Short mmCIF file of all heavy atoms in Angstrom, two decimals:
data_model
loop_
_atom_site.label_atom_id
_atom_site.label_comp_id
_atom_site.label_asym_id
_atom_site.label_seq_id
_atom_site.Cartn_x
_atom_site.Cartn_y
_atom_site.Cartn_z
N VAL W 77 23.99 -61.14 -34.98
CA VAL W 77 23.42 -62.45 -34.66
C VAL W 77 22.70 -63.01 -35.89
O VAL W 77 22.85 -64.18 -36.24
CB VAL W 77 22.47 -62.37 -33.45
CG1 VAL W 77 21.64 -63.64 -33.29
CG2 VAL W 77 23.25 -62.07 -32.18
N GLN W 78 21.94 -62.18 -36.58
CA GLN W 78 21.21 -62.65 -37.76
C GLN W 78 22.18 -63.10 -38.85
O GLN W 78 21.95 -64.11 -39.51
CB GLN W 78 20.28 -61.56 -38.30
CG GLN W 78 19.39 -62.05 -39.43
CD GLN W 78 18.46 -63.16 -38.98
OE1 GLN W 78 17.67 -62.99 -38.07
NE2 GLN W 78 18.54 -64.32 -39.63
N ALA W 79 23.29 -62.36 -39.02
CA ALA W 79 24.29 -62.76 -40.02
C ALA W 79 24.88 -64.13 -39.67
O ALA W 79 25.08 -64.97 -40.55
CB ALA W 79 25.39 -61.70 -40.11
N PHE W 80 25.14 -64.36 -38.39
CA PHE W 80 25.68 -65.65 -37.97
C PHE W 80 24.66 -66.77 -38.19
O PHE W 80 25.01 -67.84 -38.70
CB PHE W 80 26.10 -65.60 -36.50
CG PHE W 80 26.69 -66.88 -36.01
CD1 PHE W 80 27.96 -67.29 -36.42
CD2 PHE W 80 25.98 -67.70 -35.15
CE1 PHE W 80 28.50 -68.49 -35.97
CE2 PHE W 80 26.51 -68.90 -34.71
CZ PHE W 80 27.77 -69.30 -35.11
N VAL W 81 23.41 -66.53 -37.84
CA VAL W 81 22.36 -67.53 -38.07
C VAL W 81 22.24 -67.84 -39.56
O VAL W 81 22.16 -69.01 -39.96
CB VAL W 81 21.00 -67.04 -37.50
CG1 VAL W 81 19.85 -67.91 -37.97
CG2 VAL W 81 21.05 -66.98 -35.98
N ASP W 82 22.25 -66.81 -40.37
CA ASP W 82 22.17 -67.02 -41.83
C ASP W 82 23.36 -67.84 -42.34
O ASP W 82 23.19 -68.72 -43.19
CB ASP W 82 22.11 -65.67 -42.57
CG ASP W 82 20.82 -64.92 -42.28
OD1 ASP W 82 19.85 -65.54 -41.81
OD2 ASP W 82 20.80 -63.70 -42.53
N LEU W 83 24.56 -67.56 -41.82
CA LEU W 83 25.75 -68.30 -42.23
C LEU W 83 25.64 -69.78 -41.85
O LEU W 83 25.92 -70.66 -42.66
CB LEU W 83 26.99 -67.68 -41.59
CG LEU W 83 28.32 -68.41 -41.87
CD1 LEU W 83 28.67 -68.33 -43.35
CD2 LEU W 83 29.42 -67.81 -41.00
N VAL W 84 25.22 -70.05 -40.62
CA VAL W 84 25.06 -71.44 -40.17
C VAL W 84 24.03 -72.17 -41.02
O VAL W 84 24.24 -73.32 -41.43
CB VAL W 84 24.68 -71.49 -38.67
CG1 VAL W 84 24.24 -72.88 -38.25
CG2 VAL W 84 25.85 -71.00 -37.80
N LYS W 85 22.92 -71.51 -41.31
CA LYS W 85 21.89 -72.14 -42.14
C LYS W 85 22.43 -72.42 -43.55
O LYS W 85 22.18 -73.49 -44.11
CB LYS W 85 20.64 -71.25 -42.19
CG LYS W 85 19.87 -71.30 -40.88
CD LYS W 85 18.74 -70.34 -40.69
CE LYS W 85 17.95 -69.84 -41.79
NZ LYS W 85 16.86 -68.94 -41.41
N LYS W 86 23.20 -71.48 -44.09
CA LYS W 86 23.75 -71.67 -45.43
C LYS W 86 24.77 -72.80 -45.45
O LYS W 86 24.73 -73.68 -46.30
CB LYS W 86 24.38 -70.36 -45.92
CG LYS W 86 24.96 -70.45 -47.31
CD LYS W 86 25.57 -69.14 -47.75
CE LYS W 86 26.18 -69.29 -49.14
NZ LYS W 86 26.86 -68.07 -49.57
N GLU W 87 25.71 -72.77 -44.49
CA GLU W 87 26.75 -73.79 -44.44
C GLU W 87 26.17 -75.19 -44.20
O GLU W 87 26.71 -76.18 -44.66
CB GLU W 87 27.77 -73.46 -43.36
CG GLU W 87 28.68 -72.30 -43.71
CD GLU W 87 29.66 -71.97 -42.60
OE1 GLU W 87 29.53 -72.50 -41.47
OE2 GLU W 87 30.57 -71.16 -42.87
N GLY W 88 25.06 -75.26 -43.48
CA GLY W 88 24.44 -76.54 -43.19
C GLY W 88 23.37 -76.94 -44.20
O GLY W 88 22.72 -77.96 -44.02
N ASN W 89 23.22 -76.12 -45.25
CA ASN W 89 22.17 -76.38 -46.25
C ASN W 89 20.81 -76.55 -45.59
O ASN W 89 20.03 -77.43 -45.98
CB ASN W 89 22.51 -77.60 -47.11
CG ASN W 89 23.74 -77.37 -47.95
OD1 ASN W 89 23.91 -76.31 -48.54
ND2 ASN W 89 24.62 -78.35 -47.99
N LEU W 90 20.53 -75.74 -44.60
CA LEU W 90 19.27 -75.82 -43.87
C LEU W 90 18.20 -74.99 -44.57
O LEU W 90 18.38 -73.80 -44.80
CB LEU W 90 19.45 -75.34 -42.43
CG LEU W 90 20.49 -76.12 -41.61
CD1 LEU W 90 20.66 -75.48 -40.25
CD2 LEU W 90 20.08 -77.57 -41.49
N ILE W 91 17.10 -75.62 -44.89
CA ILE W 91 15.98 -74.97 -45.56
C ILE W 91 14.89 -74.74 -44.52
O ILE W 91 14.46 -75.70 -43.87
CB ILE W 91 15.45 -75.84 -46.72
CG1 ILE W 91 16.58 -76.09 -47.72
CG2 ILE W 91 14.24 -75.20 -47.38
CD1 ILE W 91 16.26 -77.18 -48.73
N PRO W 92 14.45 -73.48 -44.32
CA PRO W 92 13.42 -73.22 -43.31
C PRO W 92 12.22 -74.15 -43.48
O PRO W 92 11.74 -74.39 -44.57
CB PRO W 92 13.04 -71.76 -43.58
CG PRO W 92 14.28 -71.16 -44.17
CD PRO W 92 14.88 -72.27 -45.01
#
Side-chain angles (χ1 to χ4, degrees):
V77 168
Q78 187 62 58
F80 181 72
V81 168
D82 293 342
L83 177 66
V84 168
K85 286 171 30 178
K86 181 180 178 184
E87 288 178 350
N89 295 317
L90 301 176
I91 301 167

